[in-house]
Amino acid sequence: MENVIIIGSGPAGLTAAIYTARANLNPMVFEGYQYGGQLMTTTEIENFPGFEEGIQGPDLMSGMREQAKRFQARLVQKDVESVNLSQLPFQVVVDGETYETKTLIIATGANAKMLGLPSEKRLIGRGVSTCATCDGFFYREKEIAMVGGGDSAMEEAIFLTKFASKVSIIHRRDQLRASKIMQERALKNPKIAFVWNSVVEDVLGAEKVEGVRLRNVKTNEVSALRCDGFFLAIGHAPNTALFEGQLELDEQKYIITKPKSTATSVPGVFAAGDVQDSKYRQAITAAGTGCMAALETERYLEAQE
Ligand code: NAP
């Protein structure tokens, strides 16, 4: 019987691992086959406090893993197949084997949605980005194309105009999904141009992004748009398939946590990081909620005893 099982190994999961390990709870962490979370696919991180010269995403994650191991957190590079939260102890099934635990910390994160183009995948980190906050800084006086029509696209495009000389928002319809106020802000920004009724068919460039190939969905006309960066803002999807029907999720399928807490709808199950946060989605906020989940787990176990 485990005190705590942690699912996920991004900043939220590993921070929870460090804290619960240092609280002598001997945590077991199912990291997933691809450990480390979203930061493993980023390059330079310049906004994580403590690294004045910046740090590479994979290096930051490797540091967090080593720190968790130093306190004997048991890291297992396997995916969780299913969980049963309807009884105590909770059950977690991995590789056909069932593990029992008194508490569970869910830190399975979210993934930025992508278009699914091979070129987009090939150039990620080399001009293709899903995070304006992370990468905008590298586009001083450069031209950016962005796809999306929601609040994120507006907000991120406006943010990117602080650096870029021009941001072209490519949207598949002729009406934005974004709230009126965000639309207005973007529409009146002189550095933002809109390309309506268009989809991105290919990201151009061998070693780095040099442009995108567009198709107008009304006229079928194909054109090329030169750019130095291609940003995706077509939404995120939380990794909550394992918990559907067992935990309260919001309409976008993010786990609902109690205000100022990581407690979920099931006592003893806590959620941290992007899996419960569609708003901030930063490594530092994920780590912060990972810490909260660990402290709440500790208190929950104390109360049970
Ligand atoms: P969203 O509201 O779901 O918008 C996604 C946008 O991407 C839509 O315009 C959609 O087009 C487009 N899109 C989706 N899949 C696409 C594809 N395969 N190809 C081309 N375009 C595609 O997502 P979001 O903007 O990330 O926002 C998520 C939530 O957070 C929303 O509730 C939003 O209001 C909120 N949010 C709020 C703020 C704020 O208030 N400051 C900031 C950010 C986010 P269609 O319109 O044609 O479907």
Side-chain angles (χ1 to χ4, degrees):
M1 164 83 81
E2 301 292 340
N3 290 315
V4 56
I5 285 181
I6 298 168
I7 312 179
S9 58
L14 289 176
T15 302
I18 293 165
Y19 271 78
T20 50
R22 294 189 79 256
N24 277 339
L25 295 178
N26 192 24
M28 179 163 231
V29 185
F30 290 112
E31 297 187 282
Y33 290 109
Q34 287 186 311
Y35 68 85
Q38 293 177 78
L39 290 190
M40 298 302 281
T41 57
T42 60
T43 50
E44 190 87 2
I45 297 169
E46 293 188 323
N47 54 9
F48 200 92
F51 299 94
E52 56 185 300
E53 300 296 333
I55 183 166
Q56 296 290 313
D59 292 344
L60 179 61
M61 294 325 297
S62 133
M64 287 192 198
R65 282 185 93 217
E66 291 309 313
Q67 196 176 350
K69 278 192 210 162
R70 187 178 141 214
F71 299 110
Q72 280 89 46
R74 290 164 296 153
L75 307 186
V76 184
Q77 267 182 50
K78 286 183 178 170
D79 284 344
V80 170
E81 283 152 27
S82 65
V83 297
N84 181 355
L85 309 179
S86 67
Q87 59 180 62
L88 277 171
F90 305 123
Q91 293 177 326
V92 176
V93 180
V94 179
D95 258 359
E97 206 171 317
T98 302
Y99 296 80
E100 293 194 320
T101 181
K102 295 178 199 166
T103 64
L104 184 67
I105 297 178
I106 300 170
T108 47
N111 290 323
K113 290 187 195 156
M114 306 213 32
L115 298 174
L117 305 168
S119 52
E120 162 197 65
K121 204 167 179 187
R122 181 168 51 79
L123 292 168
I124 191 127
R126 290 190 276 165
V128 172
S129 171
T130 54
C131 179
T133 324
C134 322
D135 299 330
F137 187 75
F138 304 113
Y139 293 89
R140 258 180 213 289
E141 295 309 316
K142 301 243 159 96
E143 293 191 12
I144 290 174
M146 164 174 278
V147 65
D151 280 328
S152 295
M154 300 309 113
E155 189 172 79
E156 292 181 16
I158 293 164
F159 174 76
L160 288 171
T161 60
K162 289 189 194 165
F163 313 99
S165 55
K166 182 181 177 191
V167 180
S168 303
I169 298 180
I170 301 152
H171 185 39
R172 60 185 176 186
R173 296 186 292 138
D174 59 3
Q175 273 187 336
L176 295 168
R177 179 176 297 278
S179 56
K180 280 281 170 289
I181 183 161
M182 296 299 288
Q183 292 194 21
E184 276 164 23
R185 276 186 209 155
L187 285 162
K188 73 172 192 217
N189 188 310
K191 282 187 172 180
I192 296 180
F194 283 84
V195 184
W196 302 106
N197 297 315
S198 296
V199 291
V200 175
E201 286 197 326
D202 203 10
V203 187
L204 309 172
E207 293 300 314
K208 60 181 178 57
V209 170
E210 288 165 10
V212 287
R213 191 173 75 229
L214 303 177
R215 185 171 59 81
N216 184 304
V217 292
K218 289 258 160 87
T219 63
N220 261 332
E221 190 188 327
V222 174
S223 60
L225 175 70
R226 208 206 72 72
C227 61
D228 307 290
F230 175 57
F231 282 72
L232 289 123
I234 58 173
H236 283 73
N239 299 316
T240 47
L242 283 175
F243 317 107
E244 262 182 71
Q246 305 198 61
L247 289 178
E248 262 180 46
L249 307 180
D250 70 13
E251 70 279 3
Q252 295 176 66
K253 307 227 160 134
Y254 284 85
I255 295 176
I256 296 175
T257 49
K258 307 227 153 70
K260 293 191 184 172
S261 162
T262 59
T264 68
S265 55
V266 173
V269 179
F270 302 90
D274 286 13
V275 76
Q276 51 86 56
D277 169 24
S278 62
K279 192 170 175 195
Y280 300 105
R281 295 196 294 243
Q282 300 298 300
I284 190 74
T285 50
T289 52
C291 163
M292 283 167 65
L295 297 178
E296 286 181 285
T297 297
E298 206 182 329
R299 279 175 208 148
Y300 172 88
L301 286 168
E302 271 166 18
Q304 296 301 101
E305 277 156 26

